[in-house]
């Protein structure tokens, strides 16, 4: 992300808003948290420039980078080569310090894209990248496992599935987690553990990932998670995020919008109706109606076992 990404031919009024600073191409190392921001060392890529510079990136600027790039910054994202815009100050403790006021977003996004491409190539070479899409279309939707954001906000897919659950159309197992918080990769692995237990010890027709409206979804491109998602035995359906992730490419089906995802779920339910022997089921219902009327309605919960 450059300062404000102003075009070179911007008028004088616009360019007056452009911060003054020094553009530097450097290798960043030793990132560490400092006063809610980031502190790390810069080494110029120009071999004729010697020495290191301590650089500080404020919490406010870090948040701007995250919101524009769609990525939550971690230590590993700050390592490596960057092009940064600096203002220089003399800090009583740190000495000469560069305060980062601009960052080449394109370079960072290219690095993430290259990293994802390498992971995809490895999974493809191992013969697992296409495995999800090779699974058969679900013939029923009786039990679904939903991985959803733990943000308290309404989400169309989650709300629709919850309504189907309440009226008895499906059994829904909900697993909320914070996609944008540290530890989200481990939390996703635990969610998959729970879904796999349901599949192996009960029944499971689909895993649905609703990422929500956040912006930081690098966890969905984690290499170990991607490998596991590729090999997961149940179809994974997801809604794409603003920033492309490996999950978007490897999932059984991925959709741009919640209505598109819901349309597939509805088609699965229609298929289940078409394939059901409805005259037989109606005969069973008529025969057992007195007994069924005497029983309490089943508890509205997603039991682990059938």
């Amino acid at each position: 992300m450059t300062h404000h990404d102003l075009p070179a031919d911007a008028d004088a009024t616009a360019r007056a808003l452009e911060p003054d600073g020094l553009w530097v191409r450097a290798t960043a190392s030793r990132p560490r948290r400092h006063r809610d921001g980031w502190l790390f060392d810069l080494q110029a890529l120009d071999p004729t420039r010697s020495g290191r510079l301590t650089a500080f990136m404020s919490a406010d600027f870090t948040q701007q980078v995250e919101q524009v790039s769609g990525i939550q910054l971690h230590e590993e994202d700050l390592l490596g080569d960057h092009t940064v815009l600096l203002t220089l100050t003399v800090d009583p403790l740190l000495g000469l310090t560069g305060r980062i006021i601009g960052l080449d977003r394109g370079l960072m996004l290219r690095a993430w894209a290259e990293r994802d491409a390498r992971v995809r190539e490895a999974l493809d070479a191992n013969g697992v990248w296409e495995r999800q899409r090779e699974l058969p279309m679900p013939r029923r939707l009786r039990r679904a496992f939903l991985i959803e954001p733990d943000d308290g906000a309404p989400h169309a897919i989650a709300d629709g599935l919850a309504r189907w659950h309440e009226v008895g159309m499906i059994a829904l197992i909900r697993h909320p987690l914070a996609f944008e918080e540290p530890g989200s990769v481990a939390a996703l692995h635990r969610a998959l553990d729970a879904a796999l237990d349901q599949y192996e010890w009960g029944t499971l027709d689909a895993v649905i990932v609703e990422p929500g409206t956040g912006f930081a979804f690098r966890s969905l491109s984690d290499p170990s998670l991607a490998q596991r998602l590729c090999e997961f035995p149940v179809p994974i359906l997801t809604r794409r995020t603003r920033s492309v992730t490996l999950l978007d490419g490897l999932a059984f089906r991925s959709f741009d919008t919640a209505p598109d995802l819901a349309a597939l779920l509805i088609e699965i339910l229609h298929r289940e109706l078409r394939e059901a022997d409805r005259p037989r089921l109606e005969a069973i219902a008529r025969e057992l109606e007195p007994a069924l009327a005497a029983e309490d309605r089943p508890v509205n919960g997603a039991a682990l076992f059938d």
Side-chain angles (χ1 to χ4, degrees):
M1 180 182 72
T2 59
H3 26 294
H4 293 290
D5 289 327
L6 286 174
D9 58 351
D11 59 31
T13 303
R15 297 202 67 82
L17 300 175
E18 182 179 359
D20 295 326
L22 174 68
W23 280 106
V24 175
R25 295 186 66 243
T27 299
S29 61
R30 295 204 314 133
R32 59 267 191 203
R33 285 288 184 181
H34 179 74
R35 297 175 187 169
D36 297 325
W38 286 96
L39 194 68
F40 46 88
D41 295 340
L42 294 178
Q43 173 73 53
L45 290 176
D46 185 347
T48 64
R49 306 284 184 178
S50 61
R52 292 181 178 273
L53 176 69
T54 300
F56 174 67
M57 190 159 67
S58 69
D60 289 342
F61 182 69
T62 298
Q63 186 177 23
Q64 292 177 29
V65 172
E66 291 177 338
Q67 289 176 341
V68 173
S69 66
I71 305 298
Q72 185 177 26
L73 293 178
H74 299 285
E75 290 184 14
E76 62 269 21
D77 298 316
L78 296 173
L79 293 171
D81 297 343
H82 296 282
T83 300
V84 296
L85 183 64
L86 299 172
T87 57
L88 302 179
T89 59
V90 178
D91 187 285
L93 299 177
L94 301 175
L96 185 63
T97 302
R99 183 181 180 89
I100 296 179
I101 58 174
L103 185 67
D104 187 340
R105 176 170 62 103
L107 185 64
M108 182 177 294
L109 294 180
R110 286 193 297 273
W112 287 321
E114 291 169 1
R115 188 185 310 169
D116 287 355
R118 289 193 296 270
V119 174
R120 175 172 179 165
E121 289 172 3
L123 294 172
D124 197 24
N126 292 334
V128 299
W129 177 256
E130 297 285 343
R131 190 166 295 180
Q132 266 284 313
R133 286 188 291 277
E134 293 170 352
L135 293 173
M137 179 68 69
R139 304 181 72 89
R140 65 182 192 178
L141 188 64
R142 299 185 185 177
R143 179 165 284 122
F145 191 99
L146 174 64
I147 300 176
E148 59 182 326
D150 186 15
D151 57 7
H155 301 287
I157 286 297
D159 294 346
L161 290 171
R163 185 173 62 256
W164 290 356
H165 176 73
E166 289 172 0
V167 300
M169 290 172 55
I170 66 170
L172 178 64
I173 305 167
R174 306 182 69 166
H175 196 107
L177 60 84
F179 288 97
E180 299 179 295
E181 296 297 327
S184 58
V185 172
L188 282 162
H189 276 291
R190 289 193 294 271
L192 290 180
D193 288 340
L196 189 60
D197 284 344
Q198 176 61 53
Y199 169 75
E200 292 179 340
W201 296 95
T203 59
L204 188 62
D205 300 306
V207 172
I208 301 164
V209 181
E210 167 51 65
T213 57
F215 61 85
F217 295 106
R218 278 304 289 172
S219 58
L220 297 178
S221 287
D222 177 78
S224 65
L225 185 69
Q227 170 92 27
R228 191 173 181 191
L229 289 167
C230 283
E231 298 176 328
F232 203 77
V234 175
I236 297 173
L237 312 174
T238 186
R239 185 182 59 76
R240 298 185 186 98
T241 60
R242 286 187 300 168
S243 55
V244 178
T245 69
L246 287 175
L247 174 62
D248 298 331
L250 66 85
F252 176 76
R253 297 287 188 276
S254 58
F255 302 90
D256 290 327
T257 67
D260 291 339
L261 198 164
L264 179 65
L265 299 178
I266 292 171
E267 174 54 33
I268 295 172
L269 292 171
H270 276 303
R271 178 177 181 174
E272 190 172 352
L273 281 175
R274 289 194 301 268
E275 295 182 353
D277 186 349
R278 300 179 77 170
R280 172 178 174 269
L281 295 177
E282 290 169 359
I284 292 173
R286 287 193 300 270
E287 180 68 20
L288 302 181
E289 191 174 57
L292 291 174
E295 295 178 358
D296 293 332
R297 184 179 179 182
V299 176
N300 188 17
L304 181 60
F305 308 110
D306 281 335

